[in-house]
Amino acid sequence: QKEVEQNSGPLSVPEGAIASLNCTYSDRGSQSFFWYRQYSGKSPELIMSIYSNGDKEDGRFTAQLNKASQYVSLLIRDSQPSDSATYLCAVNGNTDKLIFGTGTRLQVFP
Amino acid sequence: DTAVSQTPKYLVTQMGNDKSIKCEQNLGHDTMYWYKQDSKKFLKIMFSYNNKELIINETVPNRFSPKSPDKAHLNLHINSLELGDSAVYFCASSDGLAYNEQFFGPGTRLTVL
């Protein structure tokens, strides 16, 4: 079992829709969870961090964390073509490393 | 006023050569990292330094040697380059250890011919 798992996609959504990206992790001791956006040929850009169970909203982005079920998700409301990118889920583990998933490619079509 | 910067942006070299990548951050962070992103886009940590002290050293060939002259700089020297070293190398920094948010540099695309 991979430490951090994401569906590679592509996830295709129409402009204006809600995009839902999911991530599961294996280390129950994980304490911090991050979503990064990576455009092709660019570096990962931090868009959300979440540390406790529940929802955290920032503009059009909402991160959801459920530690009991070991999953973290990212919702993007009113998706725009400019949101088309690869979204990386990252989780810290007991070894104090950030473990990344392989990313989900999101395509928002007009 | 770039937060995390890396040089060079591109590096093309022959097998067997030695090369270095430099990283600097002006965020005042005390922890810096080197990551490798392979052709399948998988991002994996290589090294981590906290206040110039090596704290994470993944199973990386010893041809790779990081050096941190101060907490704002972290360099990566690679000896005897191999074809499999071709990848994008990202530097990152954080305030404290991996519990906290990490911010990435623009990356160095290394191509070994």
Side-chain angles (χ1 to χ4, degrees), chain B residues 30-81:
Chain B
D30 57 3
T31 307
M32 296 185 72
Y33 311 82
W34 278 114
Y35 285 86
K36 179 180 180 181
Q37 189 169 45
D38 59 27
S39 57
K40 294 184 179 177
K41 307 301 183 189
F42 184 55
L43 196 59
K44 193 173 190 311
I45 188 158
M46 300 171 68
F47 302 102
S48 171
Y49 272 76
N50 176 258
N51 279 318
K52 304 193 296 175
E53 183 180 340
L54 181 66
I55 55 171
I56 293 174
N57 184 349
E58 287 294 280
T59 47
V60 176
N62 58 15
R63 298 182 294 103
F64 290 78
S65 51
K67 279 194 173 51
S68 182
D70 56 60
K71 69 177 189 176
H73 295 85
L74 180 62
N75 304 322
L76 183 65
H77 188 76
I78 316 170
N79 289 325
S80 304
L81 278 155

Side-chain angles (χ1 to χ4, degrees), chain B residues 2-15:
Chain B
T2 306
V4 183
S5 58
Q6 291 178 233
T7 54
K9 192 169 172 62
Y10 300 96
L11 196 47
V12 181
T13 188
Q14 299 287 331
M15 264 196 324

Side-chain angles (χ1 to χ4, degrees), chain A residues 31-32 34 36 38 40-46 48-49 51 56 88 92 95-102, chain B residues 9 33 35 37 40-45 55-56 58 90 97-107 109:
Chain A
Q31 301 174 62
S32 53
F34 307 94
Y36 286 82
Q38 187 173 24
S40 181
K42 300 294 185 183
S43 60
E45 174 193 6
L46 180 68
M48 289 289 284
S49 58
Y51 299 92
K56 179 182 177 184
L88 302 170
N92 96 302
T95 52
D96 220 9
K97 293 185 296 187
L98 204 55
I99 309 296
F100 282 82
T102 51
Chain B
K9 192 169 172 62
Y33 311 82
Y35 285 86
Q37 189 169 45
K40 294 184 179 177
K41 307 301 183 189
F42 184 55
L43 196 59
K44 193 173 190 311
I45 188 158
I55 55 171
I56 293 174
E58 287 294 280
F90 288 104
L97 300 179
Y99 180 81
N100 296 319
E101 298 169 341
Q102 294 185 19
F103 297 90
F104 283 77
R109 181 174 294 276

Side-chain angles (χ1 to χ4, degrees), chain A residues 22-87:
Chain A
N22 299 313
C23 170
T24 59
Y25 60 94
S26 60
D27 186 347
R28 281 197 171 273
S30 298
Q31 301 174 62
S32 53
F33 307 85
F34 307 94
W35 283 100
Y36 286 82
R37 176 176 62 198
Q38 187 173 24
Y39 292 111
S40 181
K42 300 294 185 183
S43 60
E45 174 193 6
L46 180 68
I47 53 172
M48 289 289 284
S49 58
I50 187 165
Y51 299 92
S52 52
N53 278 330
D55 294 1
K56 179 182 177 184
E57 188 174 317
D58 183 1
R60 295 186 297 113
F61 299 100
T62 299
Q64 299 174 317
L65 174 61
N66 184 323
K67 288 186 180 180
S69 301
Q70 294 174 250
Y71 84 76
V72 56
S73 62
L74 179 71
L75 301 177
I76 306 175
R77 288 182 299 282
D78 188 24
S79 295
Q80 302 296 310
S82 58
D83 294 326
S84 298
T86 296
Y87 289 80

